[in-house]
């Protein structure tokens, strides 16, 4: 049996997590970090920038730079909160939603192709194992702590 680190190193490479660009949708090249940001904004439209940064485990400076890039590319809008003007709320633009939907389709097709190689029992076992691993990581003193 392989050592755990080797298993994760191989998984990371095969899933493309080391690639500079994770997705290309509607002529938009999206990095892995940007993909995660777009995904979380789509799940929580109108959230505060700090909330999404915390959820992703990113420092606000790095997150702000990524948001500025996504704003320039017309994928994200930022506006002050009506309750507290110091808080910036973020939303996807219609193009941002299209790109996010395209990434979802692409990733889901990739996962579907992977899971076609398994029996329904194996697929369920893998998903349950990953869920268990995510929960263990959340409770570990050595893993990054994020909100979810």
């Amino acid at each position: 049996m392989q050592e755990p680190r080797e298993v994760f190193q191989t998984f990371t490479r095969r899933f493309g997590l080391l690639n500079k660009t994770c997705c290309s949708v509607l002529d938009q090249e999206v990095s892995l970090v940007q993909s995660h940001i777009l995904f979380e904004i789509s799940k929580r439209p109108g959230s505060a920038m700090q909330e999404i940064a915390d959820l992703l485990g990113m420092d606000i400076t790095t997150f702000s730079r990524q948001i500025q890039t996504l704003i320039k590319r017309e994928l994200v809008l930022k506006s002050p909160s009506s309750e507290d003007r110091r808080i910036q709320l973020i939303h996807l633009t219609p193009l941002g939603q299209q790109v996010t939907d395209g990434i979802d389709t692409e990733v889901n097709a990739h996962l579907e192709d992977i899971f076609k190689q398994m029996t329904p029992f194996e697929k369920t076992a893998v998903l349950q194992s990953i869920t268990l691993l995510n929960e263990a990581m959340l409770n570990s003193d050595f893993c990054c702590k994020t909100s979810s």
Side-chain angles (χ1 to χ4, degrees):
M1 185 162 160
Q2 291 179 312
E3 292 294 317
R5 180 167 181 195
E6 185 176 354
V7 171
F8 283 101
Q9 292 287 116
T10 302
F11 175 83
T12 298
R13 280 193 308 271
R14 288 189 179 151
F15 206 70
L17 300 178
L18 300 177
N19 298 348
K20 181 179 179 185
T21 301
C22 90
C23 313
S24 180
V25 177
L26 300 173
D27 295 328
Q28 295 280 338
E29 296 285 327
V30 179
S31 72
L32 185 61
V33 170
Q34 292 167 346
S35 170
H36 280 270
I37 291 170
L38 293 171
F39 178 82
E40 294 303 334
I41 295 171
S42 76
K43 297 297 179 202
R44 297 163 184 79
S47 292
M49 283 184 49
Q50 186 67 57
E51 181 183 342
I52 301 292
D54 289 346
L55 182 69
L56 292 169
M58 295 177 72
D59 69 89
I60 193 65
T61 304
T62 303
F63 184 79
S64 292
R65 270 189 252 120
Q66 290 292 334
I67 290 296
Q68 283 309 117
T69 299
L70 294 169
I71 289 170
K72 286 178 189 169
R73 294 173 57 196
E74 300 180 353
L75 300 176
V76 172
L77 292 173
K78 179 172 73 167
S79 60
S81 166
S82 59
E83 297 167 8
D84 184 343
R85 310 285 290 167
R86 297 170 296 172
I87 297 173
Q88 295 293 312
L89 307 179
I90 48 181
H91 305 269
L92 295 178
T93 64
L95 177 59
Q97 187 63 59
Q98 285 182 299
V99 169
T100 302
D101 291 345
I103 293 169
D104 285 348
T105 299
E106 194 175 301
V107 171
N108 287 332
H110 188 146
L111 290 169
E112 187 177 313
D113 185 62
I114 292 167
F115 286 127
K116 280 193 314 192
Q117 315 304 315
M118 300 177 189
T119 66
F121 174 79
E122 290 169 330
K123 175 184 175 182
T124 299
V126 166
L127 292 174
Q128 287 175 340
S129 296
I130 292 171
T131 299
L132 181 63
L133 181 63
N134 279 334
E135 290 169 6
M137 290 170 70
L138 186 62
N139 295 318
S140 169
D141 292 333
F142 294 100
C143 287
C144 296
K145 301 291 185 195
T146 61
S147 301
S148 205

